[in-house]
Every structure is written in C-alpha cells, then in structure tokens.
Amino acid sequence: MGVSCLVVLVLQITVSEVSGAGVGVGSGGVWFGGGINSPSPGGGSVPRQNSAYIALQTWKSVITDDPMGILNNWVGPNVCTYRGIFCSHTEDYAGNPTELVVTGIDLNHANLQGTLVKELSFLTEISLLHLNTNRFSGTIPQTFRDLYSLVELDLSNNHFSGPFPTTVLLIPNLVYLDLRFNSFSGPIPEDLFNNKLDAIFLNNNQFDGELPQNLGNSPASVINFANNKFSGSIPFSLGYMGTRIKEILFLNNQLNGCIPEGVGLWTDLQVLDVSFNSLMGHLPDTISCLSGIEVLNLGHNKLSGDLPDLICSPRNLVNLTLAYNFFSELSQDCLRNVGGIDFSLNCIPGRQMQRPQPECSVIPGGTLSCLRVPAVKPLVCG
C-alpha cells in the first residue's frame, strides 16, 4: 500500500473513531483489530495510545532509510515498547495514575532519513522531541503548533530547509529550540524574541537579513546566531536583556556598526563572541561591567582605539581574543590580569605580530558615531 493510501485510512480512522478492532499495519496494509476505545489488556481504554500508534506508524512509513535498525521493533499497538519512545502515566483529577501516554521521543544519532509528518501532532502529551543528528529533510509541519505539552524541540544536525519554521513559535510551552546545523534560510521573525524561550540555537544555517530590533525582549539565557549571513548592526535593545543572558554568540556573520553600550548591563554573561564580523568603533567603557564574563572574543573585526585596563578588569575572564582588529594600545597590567590573551595583528606599537604600519594609517570607521553616553571619566566596574 502506498504512503498516500495509508494516510487516507489513518485520517478516516481518527474522524470516524471506528469501534471494532485496533489499528495496525501489516503486509497487506492497514488492519483493524479493537476500536479506538477498546479495552487494554489491563481493562482500561487507550484512545491516546491508539492515536500515538497511528502517528508513529504514519511517520515510520515515510522513513526511507534506517541503517541502524532503530525502527525494527516499531511493530504492534504497544507504542511504549518502541525504541526511542518514552511513556508516562497520566493522572486523574485526584492525582491517581491512569493511562500510559507518549511523553517523549529521543532518536538522537539514529541516522534516519525521511521527513516529518503532520500526524505527529496527535502526540499532544510529548514534552520533548529530540531528533539530533539524522537525515530528516523538508519543512516542519504546521500541525506542530498543536503540541501544547512540548517543552524541548531539537531538530539540529539534519537537512531541514525553507524559511524559519514559524509554527514552532505557536507551541505554547516551548522553552528549548534547537535548529542549528540545517539549511533554513531567510530572515528570522520578531516574534521569536517575544516568546518565553530560554535557549535559542540558530547557528550554522543560512539565515540572513538584519537581527530584529526587539532582540532585547527575549528572556533567553543562551542565544547562538553563529555561522549565518546576518547583516546590519547589533540591536541597541540587546542591553535590555540584563542579567538573563549567560551566553550569546554572533560570530561569523556580516554584522557591522558598533558594540552597543548596553552590553555592560549583562552582569552574569559568561560568553560573548562577536568574532569574524565587520564591527567598528571603540569598545564601550561599560564592557568592564561584565563581572561574570569568562570568554570574550572580539577577534577578526575592525574595532579600534585604546585597550585600557578596564577591558581586563572582570575577575572571571580567562580567555580574551582581540586579534585581527585595529586596536592601538594594550597596557602591561592587562597582559598580567588575563591568562589567555591574543592581541596579534592589531596596531599596538612595540608589540610583535602586529599589522604593517601602512594598514594602521587609516582606521576603518574612524568617523563612526557609536552613541556613547558622555562621561567625565571612563566607567570602570571591575
């Protein structure tokens, strides 16, 4: 039986709620064995397990390669025995356990090839869907918005493509979104940063366009934009994120303009990487307020100006990369304060491995205004 026929029969089952025998897929196609509300071996009804069975068998039918035999035991109506499928008991109004339902799918590193099917939305109790490192392709079904219990969605290291899958923003309880290492393209929507996502991984795709100006609205603690084609400046609103953000990575894009002065409000930030862009101008004095920073990578940009002690003042800083910029001075105290520091190929007099003088005669972005707050003396928070 072809896939299209299977899907038609599956939909007929769910609409009519056939009573009689359960639903299965055998050598002759779909068979019916007990009804949607038929008794389980223990005497209870399992309507949601039957829906799960329909969803998983429909999905299995479009998986075209399973070199590790992961799905070999995806046979029969007891989906809780399927490899990679996890079930839990639901509870009644008094907190007593009732039926078993599918609450998680973990097929990481299964090397499966195929697509996702809209029937996966039948699994309304799943809280995690982990498909890292497979060969799934195509787009994300619009029906994923119905996965109201889903908290973690990991689709990384696959072959998904198309525009940003906006349907994931309609999943009401989603907290963890991982789309990295795919082929998604185009701009990212503003609504991404109005959601309650705590972790946003978009790195290693083909996203482009400017970063939305409401980026600072995000409550996320980890955001990774690395290795895309984002352009324009880092949104000024980023400073509004305050202590929520712990790691943020912009590396290897096409960003320009200044590093916003509001970066100094990220008092608990541990990792900031803006390397391999075209950022210009002087660093904001507020960068010394990053009291929790451990890794600060500013390398491979067009930043300039002096590097006073304040850049090295955060007490937790263990790795500072300044290479391939146009900085003109670095104090001896700074060298003593930070263990791992790379300041090669700048314009610092008297230091080895610097740019040749002709390259330092014209500083990129020398007339760029970075909208710094005027101060009588530099702000030092360290």
Side-chain angles (χ1 to χ4, degrees):
M1 176 177 290
V3 172
S4 60
C5 296
L6 172 61
V7 172
V8 169
L9 285 172
V10 164
L11 293 177
Q12 289 175 342
I13 294 164
T14 58
V15 170
S16 60
E17 294 191 356
V18 177
S19 59
V23 185
V25 178
S27 59
V30 177
W31 55 264
F32 302 87
I36 290 291
N37 294 308
S38 62
S40 68
S45 64
V46 288
R48 283 184 280 193
Q49 273 210 39
N50 278 0
S51 294
Y53 177 72
I54 293 168
L56 295 175
Q57 289 297 326
T58 304
W59 190 21
K60 180 182 178 182
S61 72
V62 299
I63 293 177
T64 57
D65 191 24
D66 178 13
M68 299 168 62
I70 299 293
L71 308 185
N72 286 350
N73 80 328
W74 281 33
V75 178
N78 189 1
V79 297
C80 294
T81 65
Y82 290 8
R83 188 173 179 181
I85 304 301
F86 299 90
C87 294
S88 301
H89 283 281
T90 57
E91 295 181 349
D92 62 18
Y93 67 93
N96 301 311
T98 55
E99 63 179 314
L100 274 173
V101 296
V102 175
T103 53
I105 298 177
D106 188 345
L107 292 172
N108 285 349
H109 302 278
N111 199 23
L112 299 171
Q113 180 177 338
T115 59
L116 302 182
V117 295
K118 64 181 183 297
E119 287 79 9
L120 287 171
S121 63
F122 296 171
L123 306 174
T124 53
E125 287 82 18
I126 62 169
S127 61
L128 64 87
L129 177 57
H130 289 179
L131 302 178
N132 179 303
T133 313
N134 284 281
R135 289 175 289 149
F136 290 112
S137 59
T139 58
I140 313 306
Q142 290 295 315
T143 55
F144 268 41
R145 64 182 180 271
D146 298 326
L147 297 174
Y148 56 79
S149 298
L150 193 63
V151 174
E152 297 184 12
L153 178 61
D154 184 352
L155 303 178
S156 60
N157 291 280
N158 280 282
H159 303 305
F160 293 113
S161 59
F164 183 95
T166 54
T167 189
V168 303
L169 302 181
L170 302 176
I171 301 174
N173 292 300
L174 194 66
V175 172
Y176 180 97
L177 176 63
D178 194 342
L179 302 179
R180 56 188 157 177
F181 291 96
N182 278 288
S183 297
F184 292 112
S185 59
I188 57 176
E190 287 188 0
D191 285 345
L192 175 62
F193 305 114
N194 293 328
N195 279 36
K196 60 180 182 181
L197 292 167
D198 179 65
I200 302 172
F201 295 97
L202 305 182
N203 51 294
N204 296 83
N205 279 280
Q206 298 174 30
F207 290 120
D208 58 23
E210 296 189 4
L211 295 173
Q213 291 302 309
N214 69 330
L215 177 55
N217 291 353
S218 176
S221 63
V222 179
I223 302 178
N224 195 335
F225 296 117
N227 302 312
N228 280 286
K229 300 176 181 179
F230 292 117
S231 58
S233 59
I234 298 176
F236 182 80
S237 69
L238 211 59
Y240 303 151
M241 299 183 77
T243 60
R244 294 169 293 180
I245 191 70
K246 301 296 186 294
E247 296 184 18
I248 189 162
L249 295 92
F250 297 95
L251 70 142
N252 198 23
N253 280 284
Q254 300 166 17
L255 299 172
N256 54 40
C258 306
I259 296 178
E261 191 166 43
V263 70
L265 300 176
W266 300 338
T267 54
D268 291 335
L269 187 70
Q270 298 169 356
V271 178
L272 173 60
D273 193 332
V274 298
S275 62
F276 291 92
N277 282 285
S278 296
L279 298 173
M280 300 181 185
H282 295 189
L283 295 178
D285 290 346
T286 55
I287 207 163
S288 68
C289 301
L290 298 176
S291 56
I293 196 73
E294 298 174 7
V295 176
L296 178 59
N297 192 340
L298 308 174
H300 293 263
N301 280 285
K302 300 175 182 179
L303 298 165
S304 59
D306 296 344
L307 283 165
D309 294 345
L310 63 88
I311 188 66
C312 305
S313 59
R315 60 182 178 276
N316 296 315
L317 186 61
V318 294
N319 190 303
L320 173 62
T321 302
L322 308 170
Y324 288 88
N325 278 289
F326 291 84
F327 293 120
S328 56
E329 186 170 338
L330 181 67
S331 75
Q332 192 64 37
D333 287 341
C334 193
L335 292 173
R336 285 194 294 264
N337 290 342
V338 181
I341 180 170
D342 182 357
F343 57 89
S344 59
L345 292 167
N346 277 278
C347 298
I348 305 173
R351 301 292 183 184
Q352 296 181 345
M353 299 181 64
Q354 298 299 294
R355 293 179 181 273
Q357 188 56 40
E359 291 184 17
C360 297
S361 59
V362 179
I363 304 299
T367 60
L368 182 67
S369 173
C370 290
L371 299 176
R372 303 301 187 211
V373 176
V376 177
K377 60 181 180 179
L379 172 65
V380 180
C381 300

